Each structure stands twice: as structure tokens, then as C-alpha cells.
Amino acid sequence: MAANKSLLILPGDGIGPEGMAEVRKVINWMDKRRAVTFDVAEDLVGGASYDKHGVPITDKVMESALSRACVLFGAVGGPTYDKLPFDKRPERALLRLRKDMDLFANLRPAVCFEALVEASSLKPELVAGLDIMIVRELTGGVYFGTPRGIETLPDGQRRGVNTQVYTTSEIHRVAAVAFELARKRRNKVTSLEKNNVMESGILWKEEVTKLHAEKYSDVQLEHMLADNGAMQLVRNPKQFDVMVTDNLFGDMLSDEAAMLTGSLGMLPSASLGAPDATGRRLAMYEPIHGSAPDIAGKGVANPIASLMSFAMALRYSFDLQDDADLVEKGIKNVLAAGYRTPDIMQPGKTKVGTVQMGELLIKELDKLAA
Ligand code: NAD
């Protein structure tokens, strides 16, 4: 068990604070019922930070993020901030956190809750029991490679350039995360690239193969072209366990996988940095949805993505597997009992708001822990 249980909560804007308030209830419950006490700090980020300090994240908050075991991030942004210059925009806070904490591995689980199979765009039998983990490289590749830019050519045409670039160490560190995750799951990794048309894809495949042979030969490894992976995700998603891929393909494939499971309000994510000499990894956990200004303040946001993000923090930053299982089981049971926030409402089910959903989870946790 990790000795350092320090958490920084950055609720942010819109529905961010609404989801995080429900996470707080679970943290308090764990303190009382499981004797697991977290050292929790909370601060401003995004538009909320801009309103008070004139910047989307202060240096003091950044220092706090770097010193704590992990960050729980709500969501940022909103129409009032849309006209700000780029460096003052709420989303800049997210980019700075990712960059300064060097969070290179983005973990996006796509789990289909039994109670919600009907909400998927695929047939129930294809998604029932689905449990995939997509590991996306987050700090390299074509989004960051140079040269980049738009230039005007002598003949007056314009030319846009981005560069896909990866080094051995960038590939190894993200692939290692995938192999280690697979060992705790169903022991299979699918690595995706485009080695048929890209040199960076050839390197990716060779280096993943090399690392596998050196350190992870106990894990089943398969290679797949990323475009085939996109097709296989809708054809037969349950063939996958852990998928690892670069920044660009990961961006697409993780959004595609998200839709297999139904709602944006259900999906968590984790972003991990490299382990230091003591094995400590910086990490940030956040729902994949944004600040949802259209429903903010109405008490109807689905808090499950935030709660599932906290469960990921329990699992990956604090090594509290049983507690993570408990929170996930609690959520499953509340859904199975027929409670739904409006975004996942189905005929014959009971509609509840954000706070009620959190309270139902606490009641369920009481039952499970009794
Ligand atoms: P969004 O994810 O905020 O909302 C998209 C749609 O999904 C909306 O209709 C919203 O009501 C619904 N939705 C999202 N989360 C929900 C939940 N938990 N429960 C119920 N319904 C939910 O995306 P958007 O509307 O494109 O962006 C809104 C703002 O959020 C923008 O300012 C954008 O820049 C920002 N944003 C922030 C993040 C982040 O902080 N990580 C991510 C995406 C967008």
C-alpha cells in the first residue's frame, strides 16, 4: 500500500465541482468505514482560477500537483471564457498539468456495465461484459513533432506540415505501462500502428517487439494496423484486452471505444508519468467529459465518470485494489437496481439527480462493507 495518500482535488468549472462533491462523499466514507484516510487538498483550476487569479492555473497549484501522490481533476471551460487569449483559456491548465507532470500514458478504460448494454450503439451481445483498456501515448507523436507550421510557397500556395516522431525510449515507456497493466488483467496487449506506410510505425512495432522479448514475454502480444483496429473495435470489441498506440491513433480509437459503452457521463481516464527512483508515479485522474455548461448547476450531471476516476486513483496511485473493486461494484449495483441520471435514463427506470446518485452509492457501499 502506498504510504503517501495525498490527493489534490481540482474541481474546475461547470459540472466539474458537482462530480467532485460526490467523490468527496466516498473519500469521507472510506475514512469512516475502511479506516483509509487521505490527505486531501483542494484548489482552483480553469475558469475558476482565472476569475480569482487571472490565470487558468497558478504556480502554487502546479507545485502542489507535483508534490502530491495524484491529482483528481473535474472539468474546465465554459462559454464565458471562450473569447480569452489562448494562454488564458481554461483548457491551458490541463495542458500545463500534463506537460509539467510529464504524463505520457493516457489510460482510457471502455467498460460496458451490464445494466447499460442497451445504451451502446452496438448490439448488446457484442458489448455485454466488454472491458478494454486503451493506453494512448500522450506527450509525443504528430501533435508535438517538429517541423510543424503553415508556410506560403513561392507559387502562392500554402503548405501545412506536422511531423510524426517517436524515439525508442518514448515507445518503451508507454509500452511498458501497457504490458504491466495486461499482467493485472487478461494478459494480452494489442499494439497498433501503421508500419505498412509509416517509418515511425515500423520503429514502433520493432521496439514494442524488442521490449516484449526482453521483459514481458509472459504477456501475449499481437500487432495490428491501426485502421484494422478501428474496424475490429466495432466488429468484435471483446477480442481486446489492453490496446497500446500512439497519440494520434489513440485519440481516435479511444473516442471510438467510448461510444461502445454508451454515455460520456460514465467514462473515467488516468494519465500517468514515469516512476521515479522510489517507484512513485505522478498521475492525474479525470472524467473524459467536459464542463457541460448546458446542464451545469441543474443538479442532473452524471457523477459516475468522476467516481470511476477516483476508483482508478485507488487502483493505480494507492494500490488499494479491494477498495477500487468495492467502489466499482457499488456503482454497478446502483445501476442494476434501476437508478439513472437523465443522460442514461431508460424506460421503466428511476430518474435521479447528481446528489441522489452519490447518496445511493454510499448506501450501497454501506451494504457491501457490512
Ligand atoms: P462536454 O463533455 O462538456 O458535453 C458534451 C455533452 O455531453 C453535453 O450535452 C453535456 O450535457 C453532456 N455531458 C457531459 N458530461 C455529462 C455528465 N457527466 N452527465 C450528463 N451529461 C453529460 O463537451 P462540450 O460541450 O464540447 O464542452 C463544454 C466545455 O467543456 C467547453 O468549454 C470545452 O472546452 C470543455 N471541455 C473540457 C474538458 C476537460 O476539462 N477535460 C474536456 C472536454 C471539453
Side-chain angles (χ1 to χ4, degrees):
M1 190 183 293
N4 175 2
K5 292 220 188 50
S6 60
L7 260 175
L8 172 64
I9 299 187
L10 298 175
D13 310 317
I15 65 168
E18 297 174 34
M20 284 302 145
E22 303 315 305
V23 170
R24 279 279 197 164
K25 286 181 190 158
V26 177
I27 292 176
N28 293 340
W29 181 87
M30 288 184 69
D31 191 5
K32 268 196 246 137
R33 296 294 306 270
R34 305 280 286 182
V36 180
T37 304
F38 292 94
D39 162 15
V40 183
E42 187 169 316
D43 223 313
L44 300 176
V45 76
S49 170
Y50 176 80
D51 289 342
K52 178 136 188 236
H53 303 295
V55 286
I57 187 163
T58 63
D59 292 343
K60 189 174 135 275
V61 172
M62 251 339 293
E63 267 169 44
S64 171
L66 289 164
S67 71
R68 301 211 146 233
C70 71
V71 174
L72 275 181
F73 188 95
V76 292
T80 41
Y81 309 106
D82 282 350
K83 298 226 157 55
L84 289 175
F86 192 59
D87 64 325
K88 302 273 194 252
R89 298 278 295 264
E91 293 78 7
R92 288 298 294 177
L94 203 50
L95 296 182
R96 181 163 177 205
L97 282 159
R98 284 181 185 156
K99 183 165 173 288
D100 290 8
M101 292 167 78
D102 197 13
L103 304 174
F104 65 85
N106 184 226
L107 276 51
R108 295 250 306 241
V111 174
C112 192
F113 288 92
E114 213 64 45
L116 294 179
V117 286
E118 300 292 341
S120 170
S121 50
L122 295 192
K123 292 188 196 116
E125 63 270 25
L126 286 181
V127 289
L130 182 75
D131 180 2
I132 304 176
M133 177 70 83
I134 300 193
V135 180
R136 164 188 171 194
E137 200 290 327
L138 199 61
T139 52
V142 73
Y143 293 165
F144 295 94
T146 52
R148 61 184 297 157
I150 301 176
E151 59 180 349
T152 303
L153 300 173
D155 67 357
Q157 285 198 75
R158 294 205 304 154
R159 182 171 175 261
V161 179
N162 290 93
T163 305
Q164 166 83 334
V165 52
Y166 275 107
T167 61
T168 312
S169 60
E170 285 175 320
I171 298 168
H172 281 209
R173 65 182 189 169
V174 73
V177 169
F179 287 126
E180 274 156 35
L181 281 168
R183 277 181 176 159
K184 293 186 183 164
R185 296 168 48 93
R186 299 189 299 281
N187 216 35
K188 179 178 168 191
V189 169
T190 306
S191 170
L192 302 109
E193 32 57 29
K194 288 280 289 173
N195 74 77
N196 52 342
V197 285
M198 296 169 78
E199 281 74 10
S200 58
I202 295 174
L203 184 78
W204 183 282
K205 185 175 179 185
E206 285 176 1
E207 291 302 331
V208 171
T209 305
K210 201 160 131 197
L211 181 73
H212 175 252
E214 278 166 12
K215 290 199 183 146
Y216 299 102
S217 55
D218 55 303
V219 180
Q220 185 193 343
L221 170 65
E222 82 177 350
H223 298 279
M224 194 178 275
L225 294 176
D227 51 340
N228 184 27
M231 197 259 282
Q232 295 297 333
L233 261 180
V234 288
R235 197 184 72 86
N236 175 20
K238 283 191 263 183
Q239 69 184 286
F240 297 113
D241 178 16
V242 177
M243 302 172 83
V244 62
T245 188
D246 72 17
N247 204 342
L248 173 65
F249 298 140
D251 196 356
M252 318 265 159
L253 294 173
S254 58
D255 270 11
E256 187 189 356
M259 278 325 293
L260 303 179
T261 68
S263 163
L264 218 49
M266 305 287 298
L267 293 167
S269 75
S271 301
L272 308 179
D276 65 13
T278 65
R280 171 177 168 260
R281 249 182 215 284
L282 290 179
M284 180 158 76
Y285 300 88
E286 55 180 314
I288 71 162
H289 62 70
S291 57
D294 54 333
I295 56 165
K298 295 186 179 154
V300 296
N302 188 343
I304 292 179
S306 299
L307 293 162
M308 292 287 284
S309 299
F310 178 59
M312 287 187 89
L314 294 175
R315 201 177 292 289
Y316 299 119
S317 280
F318 301 114
D319 207 14
L320 293 168
Q321 312 300 338
D322 292 349
D323 297 85
D325 288 346
L326 196 72
V327 173
E328 286 169 5
K329 178 123 203 288
I331 293 168
K332 259 180 217 161
N333 290 357
V334 171
L335 291 170
Y339 297 104
R340 302 280 189 275
T341 43
D343 57 313
I344 51 171
M345 187 57 192
Q346 292 161 313
K349 305 296 178 193
T350 312
K351 201 193 275 186
V352 297
T354 315
V355 171
Q356 211 182 342
M357 187 57 104
E359 284 166 356
L360 285 161
L361 174 61
I362 297 296
K363 270 195 208 139
E364 191 56 39
L365 291 175
D366 275 336
K367 268 194 237 162
L368 288 171

